[in-house]
Amino acid sequence: MQFNPNDIEPKAIYKLLTGIVIPRPIGWISSISPEGITNLAPFSFFNAVGDDPPHVMFSASASGKANKDTLNNVLQTNQFVVNMVTEELAEQMNMTAHALPPHESEFHFAGLTPEPSFKVLPPRVKESPITMECELVHHYTLEDNKFGGSTIMIGRILMFHIKDELLLDDYKINLDLYQPISRLAGHHYAKLGELFSIKRN
């Protein structure tokens, strides 16, 4: 089968793309409004984009032509925090995907603890073992969209926070203790599963 994206519905494109590009890491993004209201939401269009200097990206899709609170907050404050999602935080992460009114905080809704950041205003999720404070350096809204599109947000990492027990020698991460989860299609998620190694020639 072949599909021209111009000939099928956006919902079908989403299903194909999220079913093909798997697994995807989850960026659990915390932000804060100019009025001081905290927001927390998961994004599976998320990844690292470079290490010199370190940058990450996430993409926020509009919902019915309306921006998500995360996107509005980051565009107004130029700051956000990435909180990594582990197996034990999966249920609370899922709760923060609920559409709450802008004046309500997902931290309170999901029973999570906001922890002050060092260099940015948005708080970190205390329960997350790895967090990254970021400053927005670039954003770009995809053109020719039909329902509001998606905006790519690129942030420079200003500070890493890593629980001591996860850090091995030479800045390596203990994957057995870290236990991150990733996003698949629909309601499905994945654990790391069996690992294998291939040395570069």
Side-chain angles (χ1 to χ4, degrees), residues 60-82:
S61 299
S63 178
K65 292 270 185 182
N67 288 346
K68 292 185 177 179
D69 293 336
T70 300
L71 178 57
N72 287 332
N73 290 347
V74 176
L75 288 177
Q76 292 178 83
T77 66
N78 293 320
Q79 297 179 340
F80 63 93
V81 176
V82 177

Side-chain angles (χ1 to χ4, degrees), residues 48-61:
V49 293
D51 65 333
D52 183 23
H55 284 70
V56 292
M57 65 73 63
F58 73 96
S59 179
S61 299

Side-chain angles (χ1 to χ4, degrees), residues 137-156:
V137 297
H138 183 66
H139 69 277
Y140 171 72
T141 299
L142 302 181
E143 298 177 351
D144 299 325
N145 62 76
K146 298 178 181 178
F147 298 99
S150 299
T151 300
I152 300 167
M153 316 288 281
I154 298 178
R156 180 170 181 167

Side-chain angles (χ1 to χ4, degrees), residues 15-157:
K15 287 183 177 181
L16 288 173
L17 192 60
T18 57
I20 293 168
V21 184
I22 58 173
R24 300 186 306 282
I26 301 167
W28 207 8
I29 308 297
S30 52
S31 61
I32 191 168
S33 72
E35 296 75 29
I37 300 171
T38 57
N39 180 270
L40 181 64
F43 294 85
S44 67
F45 291 159
F46 160 80
N47 222 312
V49 293
D51 65 333
D52 183 23
H55 284 70
V56 292
M57 65 73 63
F58 73 96
S59 179
S61 299
S63 178
K65 292 270 185 182
N67 288 346
K68 292 185 177 179
D69 293 336
T70 300
L71 178 57
N72 287 332
N73 290 347
V74 176
L75 288 177
Q76 292 178 83
T77 66
N78 293 320
Q79 297 179 340
F80 63 93
V81 176
V82 177
N83 308 273
M84 301 309 293
V85 184
T86 59
E87 293 178 25
E88 64 180 16
L89 292 172
E91 290 294 336
Q92 288 168 296
M93 176 275 299
N94 190 48
M95 291 180 67
T96 64
H98 286 268
L100 297 182
H103 64 275
E104 294 184 22
S105 174
E106 288 80 3
F107 277 91
H108 177 73
F109 180 74
L112 295 161
T113 309
E115 187 169 43
S117 297
F118 287 20
K119 293 182 174 290
V120 298
L121 289 177
R124 297 174 287 132
V125 174
K126 184 176 182 179
E127 290 79 5
S128 175
I130 297 178
T131 62
M132 295 171 281
E133 300 180 32
C134 302
E135 177 181 49
L136 180 69
V137 297
H138 183 66
H139 69 277
Y140 171 72
T141 299
L142 302 181
E143 298 177 351
D144 299 325
N145 62 76
K146 298 178 181 178
F147 298 99
S150 299
T151 300
I152 300 167
M153 316 288 281
I154 298 178
R156 180 170 181 167
I157 299 172

